[in-house]
Amino acid sequence: MNADLFRRDLPVLSIQDLKVDFPLRHGVLHAVAGVSMDLHRGKTLCVVGESGSGKSVTARSVLQIVDRPGRITGGRIDFTRPDGSTTDLAALNPRGGAIRRVRGREIAMIFQEPMSSLSPVHTIGDQITEVLRLHLKLDKAAARDRAVGLLRAVEIARPETAIDRYAFEFSGGMRQRAMIAMALACDPAVLIADEPTTALDVTTQAEILDLIKRLQSERGMAVMFITHDMGVVAEVADEVVVMHRGQVVERGSVDRLFSAPAEPYTQHLIGNVLKLEQPSAIRAERPPQPAGREPVLEVRDVAVHFGGRKKLFRAPPPVVKAVDGVSLSLYAGQTLGVVGESGSGKTTLGRSILRMVDPTGGAVLYRRPDGAVLDMAKADRTALRSARREIRMIFQDPFASLNPRMTVNQIVGEPLLVNGIATGAALRDRVTGLLEKVGLEPSWGERFPHAFSGGQRQRIGIARALALEPRIIIADEPTSALDVSLRAQMLDLLLRLQDELSLAFLFISHDISVIRYMCDRVAVMHRGRVVEEGPTAQVCDAPTHAYTRALLSAVPRPDPQARRLHLRERYVA
């Protein structure tokens, strides 16, 4: 049988009854429990599921890079080359030469967080040329020329100079492009993309999805795309495999899966995405707010500039205007969303309110419960500490913001203890009440953060933020690290707590669907400035600024019949 027939009829990658186990202290975790799927040349197979479903372990098994002590305990992974020869990758020694020759050369992988996958001490060019010299045996000059061409192919500006830069000198989107260039260096037959856009804002995500699709079309690659984002699935998939607790629960064409999902779990995943396409029912049921109220927080012409200070024997670095004259008002019991791409200044704005970074100019006026107004930008340490009890923050990464050496009881109770509010039995009672309020079992209080899922860790962070009974919470991307179903749960929790405790939220996000669901008003930031502000429905449904329209057009819709990212608007300042 000739090679053309093999390419046409056989899957390039066939996973059959794959089993991957992780031995535990007591028993075994069956992370992948008999999974089968086929991947065809020129097609995109999306493997979708929530955290813990086994989708990433399945992908990593293909290249025998499962984290220890996990190991493949059964099944086959047949890789068929263009010449018709087939290798069972599952049977290869994970440390042997045979699998090393496959990695990067014939099957390549890009990861969710490129900064942890790229070397911080080698230039981008050195890392790409190493792959070329190892697998293709190119000399140094030829490898560098090919690396420049690869950087140009993934649309990195000025590749001739970018090749000599380090990963930390690139933005998140540019680092992901560099990872793709490295993965494509040897023209692989299969590209495995493991959550490659999860950490990116919507416009950068759209660019990366477009790039992968274009390169796939040009090179005829098979793409296995691992994700929990059903909007991305609708946009890029040909075929879909849905995983849950280590098993495949449903598979089929993308059109069939979205139009007629057969399994309750698939219906649950799609339903949670569709839920975030509309404003929250909790918010819609609220009574109208009385007119003429004073804002609880006013940001007036706030600026935060970095750089510009002269250094010894060196010219001063250029001034970066991270926040450049922003004015906003936040009212009690309401949620103001701040949305924009990475680098728009939204996180710096949130941190400047609490003086985690000092404003360069402007005023941050906080109205205390007694009606007195404090300018946080100019407050002394004592006044600032007092105000910070009433304005708290929830952070993006719940794991990084929780002390791994403290139990949950200690983490949640620390603000009460440090501020002298409760000790002993009273402290224990307060912590128990806080854990119950955010939906956690009080008996879990003696556990450490590593024993919890991402969603549970975020609930711990919320409990800590509520400990001092604040009036304002600044939530900085609090759901971006969560699966879509956990995201919906977390937003509903915050909305219920808002109604119960009359909280005001400043909600920072790059996710338009989250903003639409959560917020009463929204401010759109671009390059340190607010370019549009208004009621959420007005801004999301009838935006007036070209940048807002570009943001909205870059959001993938959970409808494979309405793919639109290739038609999205581009904004040029």
Side-chain angles (χ1 to χ4, degrees):
M1 191 177 289
N2 64 39
D4 288 339
L5 193 58
F6 266 98
R7 286 199 298 269
R8 191 161 55 244
D9 292 351
L10 290 181
V12 65
L13 196 69
S14 181
I15 299 174
Q16 304 158 39
D17 197 29
L18 178 68
K19 297 179 178 68
V20 182
D21 292 343
F22 285 77
L24 305 174
R25 184 178 300 176
H26 303 291
V28 176
L29 172 64
H30 303 297
V32 179
V35 162
S36 299
M37 63 185 74
D38 289 338
L39 181 60
H40 291 267
R41 183 174 173 81
K43 299 293 185 181
T44 297
L45 172 70
C46 276
V47 184
V48 65
E50 296 170 296
S51 297
S53 64
K55 58 187 188 298
S56 288
V57 176
T58 299
R60 296 175 76 91
S61 298
V62 173
L63 290 175
Q64 291 269 21
I65 54 172
V66 176
D67 293 332
R68 298 179 68 185
R71 63 187 184 89
I72 296 172
T73 56
R76 298 178 61 88
I77 304 174
D78 287 333
F79 172 54
T80 301
R81 296 177 174 83
D83 64 4
S85 62
T86 298
T87 300
D88 177 9
L89 303 179
L92 300 182
N93 181 347
R95 299 182 182 179
I99 191 66
R100 286 202 301 269
R101 286 189 289 273
V102 172
R103 292 176 189 147
R105 175 67 184 90
E106 297 179 296
I107 303 177
M109 191 164 185
I110 54 177
F111 299 91
Q112 177 176 347
E113 180 41 68
M115 196 61 187
S116 61
S117 306
L118 295 170
S119 168
V121 297
H122 297 94
T123 65
I124 293 296
D126 284 344
Q127 294 177 72
I128 297 175
T129 55
E130 181 183 20
V131 174
L132 293 168
R133 299 189 71 183
L134 175 66
H135 288 297
L136 302 186
K137 310 302 180 186
L138 299 182
D139 63 32
K140 192 172 183 179
R144 182 179 174 88
D145 286 345
R146 186 174 172 95
V148 169
L150 286 161
L151 294 177
R152 184 178 293 110
V154 298
E155 299 170 1
I156 287 182
R158 296 180 294 280
E160 296 84 359
T161 55
I163 194 173
D164 294 317
R165 293 165 64 189
Y166 293 87
F168 63 81
E169 298 180 278
F170 281 35
S171 68
M174 297 299 276
R175 285 195 291 266
Q176 198 59 283
R177 289 173 187 272
M179 274 284 292
I180 294 170
M182 192 181 307
L184 299 180
C186 299
D187 200 15
V190 175
L191 177 66
I192 301 172
D194 188 3
E195 302 270 14
T197 63
T198 298
L200 304 177
D201 56 59
V202 289
T203 51
T204 307
Q205 172 180 265
E207 291 170 2
I208 296 299
L209 294 178
D210 267 357
L211 174 63
I212 292 173
K213 197 69 179 175
R214 176 177 64 78
L215 294 168
Q216 178 187 30
S217 178
E218 291 173 359
R219 295 165 179 248
M221 290 185 303
V223 174
M224 179 187 286
F225 201 106
I226 313 298
T227 184
H228 65 255
D229 189 328
M230 296 301 286
V232 170
V233 172
E235 189 67 38
V236 306
D238 296 301
E239 299 287 322
V240 184
V241 166
V242 181
M243 288 188 65
H244 182 53
R245 294 181 179 176
Q247 296 182 316
V248 172
V249 296
E250 188 164 1
R251 73 183 80 230
S253 72
V254 66
D255 291 328
R256 201 279 299 164
L257 208 80
F258 276 83
S259 63
E263 293 297 319
Y265 180 70
T266 311
Q267 295 164 8
H268 161 79
L269 287 179
I270 296 173
N272 276 304
V273 177
L274 295 174
K275 180 179 179 179
L276 294 182
E277 290 280 293
Q278 302 295 328
S280 165
I282 298 172
R283 186 160 61 84
E285 292 170 4
R286 290 175 177 168
Q289 297 289 341
R293 295 178 303 149
E294 296 283 355
V296 68
L297 185 73
E298 262 190 288
V299 176
R300 291 186 183 173
D301 201 31
V302 163
V304 181
H305 297 172
F306 299 107
R309 294 183 180 179
K310 189 172 182 179
K311 297 187 177 181
L312 189 64
F313 305 122
R314 283 191 289 173
V319 174
V320 175
K321 297 181 179 181
V323 179
D324 190 17
V326 167
S327 297
L328 298 169
S329 295
L330 176 63
Y331 293 85
Q334 288 197 343
T335 301
L336 172 64
V338 181
V339 66
E341 299 169 290
S342 299
S344 63
K346 58 189 187 297
T347 290
T348 304
L349 173 66
R351 289 173 175 265
S352 70
I353 290 170
L354 278 171
R355 286 269 298 278
M356 296 169 76
V357 295
D358 285 324
T360 308
V364 179
L365 305 178
Y366 168 52
R367 193 173 302 277
R368 307 296 295 265
D370 62 2
V373 176
L374 173 70
D375 184 357
M376 301 275 288
K378 298 179 177 64
D380 61 29
R381 184 175 299 177
T382 302
L384 190 62
R385 182 176 179 180
S386 175
R388 282 175 172 169
R389 296 176 187 175
E390 298 164 14
I391 307 175
R392 305 293 288 173
M393 196 158 190
I394 301 171
F395 296 93
Q396 176 176 355
D397 185 341
F399 194 67
S401 63
L402 302 177
N403 189 330
R405 296 180 179 85
M406 295 173 70
T407 67
V408 169
N409 283 339
Q410 292 170 329
I411 290 168
V412 175
E414 185 181 32
L416 297 165
L417 197 62
V418 168
N419 286 281
I421 293 173
T423 58
L427 177 63
R428 288 193 295 273
D429 289 345
R430 288 284 290 270
V431 170
T432 294
L434 287 162
L435 294 178
E436 290 175 337
K437 194 180 293 290
V438 300
L440 293 174
E441 291 289 336
S443 60
W444 297 348
E446 292 306 315
R447 298 183 188 177
F448 291 87
H450 72 266
F452 294 89
S453 68
Q456 290 170 333
R457 286 196 289 261
Q458 195 58 286
R459 288 174 186 263
I460 296 166
I462 293 170
R464 179 179 59 185
L466 294 175
L468 298 178
E469 299 180 352
R471 302 174 69 219
I472 298 172
I473 287 183
I474 300 171
D476 186 8
E477 302 272 15
T479 63
S480 65
L482 305 179
D483 297 324
V484 66
S485 57
L486 289 175
R487 194 174 302 168
Q489 291 174 24
M490 204 59 56
L491 295 175
D492 284 347
L493 170 64
L494 292 173
L495 287 165
R496 286 196 298 270
L497 291 170
Q498 182 175 45
D499 284 347
E500 182 182 337
L501 305 173
S502 298
L503 295 168
F505 281 114
L506 185 71
F507 199 95
I508 297 165
S509 181
H510 66 254
D511 190 328
I512 296 286
S513 62
V514 167
I515 291 290
R516 182 190 286 113
Y517 188 80
M518 181 79 185
C519 301
D520 301 290
R521 296 181 62 82
V522 59
V524 182
M525 286 190 69
H526 179 60
R527 294 184 180 176
R529 292 179 172 271
V530 172
V531 296
E532 185 164 1
E533 183 189 0
T536 303
Q538 174 187 308
V539 173
C540 289
D541 297 337
T544 59
H545 197 278
Y547 176 69
T548 310
R549 292 196 296 271
L551 271 184
L552 288 163
S553 72
V555 179
R557 294 286 310 280
D559 181 1
Q561 296 296 316
R563 293 182 173 180
R564 63 177 189 177
L565 292 191
H566 62 291
L567 301 173
R568 71 186 186 279
E569 295 185 34
R570 268 73 165 183
Y571 177 70
V572 180

